[in-house]
Amino acid sequence: MDSLTQILLGGAAAAAIAPARHRRAALLAGAALGTLPDLDSFLLRPFTDDPVALMTMHRSFSHSLLVLPFVGALVWWLFLRFGQGRTRDAPARWFWAMQAALLTHPLLDAFTVYGTQLWWPLPSAPVAWASIFIIDLGYTLWLLLACVVAWCLAEKASAQRALVAGLVLSSAYLGASLLAQQQVERAAARTLAGMGLADAPRLATPTPFNILLWRVIAMTPTGYLVGERSLVADRGPMVFTAHASDVKALADARELPAVRRLQWFNGGFMRAQVDAEGALVLSDLRMGQEPSYSFQFEVARRVDGHWQAVAPKQFAWKAPTDGLGALWRRIWTEPSR
């Protein structure tokens, strides 16, 4: 999720646990700890400029549920040992406040499509429940209101009620996103079964800023299908558009390190193209839209009929030209055709 949301979640979680007399300090401390895991990008850059490595190592060690509890314990001990007294005044409450601020970060990230390595360093695939977009005011608003009220009311009991309400309502929104996703997946499954693709790997993920309009990707033997589903405007079978991918080139290059790494990271939701100069370009289909995706990499070139790895190069993302007005109309009034 975006940094502001993680700051608010960390602050709300910590302040809900810390003693009322420390509430404002907990809001600030939780905000800092809530954004701490995303600083891994700064830690990685001095060691590599490989864009595939940077993409796939983000949300790894810094987001691991096997690592962060120890980080939280270390931070707690440092404050207990060298702090000004709040941690020593209520050590148990501050221990769990710090743990909550850190651990809620990767758990929330796992609801997005990017991929969060919750069990690093174990060799498990990234977790991507893909039920919420990285920026969604429907989730963030409740945390923002809760933190503002808690800051203003400080030690009053109503501040605690506001924090609990904000956390409950934002969590309820996550639950609603999962229910919406299930509804879209059922509609996609019916349509794909009618096309003879009942077993096709598929992924349903929300479009920007909402959980009412969804994008579904289904992988096929010759490429992939993309469809949209508005829970408000659409009725009847889903409409899918077919797109080609050079599946043979992808299969031939599957043992190259960058290809293997991307395949593991995105679960196979990847487009392969060979450009005019013989370069193999892989695009992560989970993020972006036709024809431009957020993550596109040149990973190999054909030499004497064989694919040879090259230093990966990332292509600049071209933002879609459709505005928020088109998104709004598609959600509410424009069914798929």
Side-chain angles (χ1 to χ4, degrees):
M1 293 293 286
D2 64 282
S3 295
L4 174 61
T5 301
Q6 293 289 11
I7 287 171
L8 293 170
L9 177 59
I17 297 172
R21 60 187 178 277
H22 301 161
R23 186 162 286 136
R24 285 181 174 170
L27 283 168
L28 296 175
L33 290 171
T35 197
L36 182 64
D38 280 341
L39 299 182
D40 62 347
S41 298
F42 298 100
L43 297 176
L44 292 170
R45 288 191 179 277
F47 298 97
T48 181
D49 58 359
D50 181 341
V52 171
L54 290 172
M55 178 191 184
T56 59
M57 292 177 69
H58 178 47
R59 297 194 189 178
S60 57
F61 62 90
S62 68
H63 287 60
S64 172
L65 298 181
L66 303 179
V67 173
L68 286 178
F70 296 98
V71 175
L74 175 60
V75 173
W76 173 80
W77 179 83
L78 290 172
F79 273 88
L80 191 65
R81 178 69 175 82
F82 302 106
Q84 296 179 350
R86 292 189 184 93
T87 310
R88 289 193 294 271
D89 181 46
R93 297 279 288 273
W94 271 101
F95 177 85
W96 292 113
M98 292 178 181
Q99 292 287 352
L102 279 171
L103 295 176
T104 52
H105 182 121
L107 291 174
L108 178 58
D109 274 349
F111 280 88
T112 69
V113 76
Y114 186 91
T116 306
Q117 297 171 52
L118 293 180
W119 307 113
W120 185 96
L122 299 180
S124 56
V127 177
W129 295 317
S131 70
I132 192 169
F133 191 67
I134 58 171
I135 302 173
D136 192 327
L137 189 60
Y139 177 83
T140 306
L141 177 62
W142 309 111
L143 297 173
L144 175 61
L145 292 174
C147 288
V148 170
V149 170
W151 183 269
C152 292
L153 298 182
E155 297 184 24
K156 294 182 179 179
S158 50
Q160 178 72 3
R161 289 195 290 270
L163 288 167
V164 172
L167 290 167
V168 168
L169 289 171
S170 61
S171 298
Y173 188 84
L174 286 181
S177 75
L178 292 171
L179 293 175
Q181 186 183 52
Q182 291 178 4
Q183 186 174 342
V184 171
E185 287 177 343
R186 286 195 295 269
R190 289 193 295 268
T191 300
L192 292 171
M195 300 168 66
L197 295 169
D199 297 326
R202 58 182 177 269
L203 172 69
T205 186
T207 56
F209 318 127
N210 76 101
I211 57 171
L212 294 176
L213 178 61
W214 293 73
R215 181 170 168 269
V216 178
I217 309 158
M219 305 306 295
T220 70
T222 58
Y224 57 99
L225 305 174
V226 177
E228 283 186 349
R229 185 72 169 184
S230 167
L231 297 178
V232 179
D234 289 339
R235 297 291 183 271
M238 284 191 65
V239 177
F240 284 93
T241 302
H243 301 275
S245 176
D246 197 328
V247 294
K248 183 179 186 309
L250 182 59
D252 291 343
R254 65 183 179 276
E255 294 303 323
L256 298 181
V259 178
R260 286 204 315 270
R261 184 71 178 175
L262 288 170
Q263 182 86 16
W264 167 80
F265 190 72
N266 60 39
F269 291 97
M270 186 162 57
R271 177 183 67 185
Q273 295 175 307
V274 180
D275 67 16
E277 298 178 354
L280 178 61
V281 178
L282 303 181
S283 304
D284 191 323
L285 297 173
R286 303 170 305 157
M287 292 167 279
Q289 63 183 44
E290 294 294 327
S292 177
Y293 288 93
S294 304
F295 294 95
Q296 300 184 90
F297 306 96
E298 177 187 335
V299 297
R301 285 186 175 267
R302 198 190 301 274
V303 178
D304 297 330
H306 300 282
W307 290 108
Q308 180 174 311
V310 298
K313 179 178 72 173
Q314 184 172 1
F315 294 93
W317 175 57
K318 297 179 181 178
T321 56
D322 296 341
L324 292 177
L327 179 68
W328 182 263
R329 291 190 299 273
R330 179 66 184 87
I331 292 172
W332 298 102
T333 62
E334 294 183 357
S336 60
R337 299 188 182 94

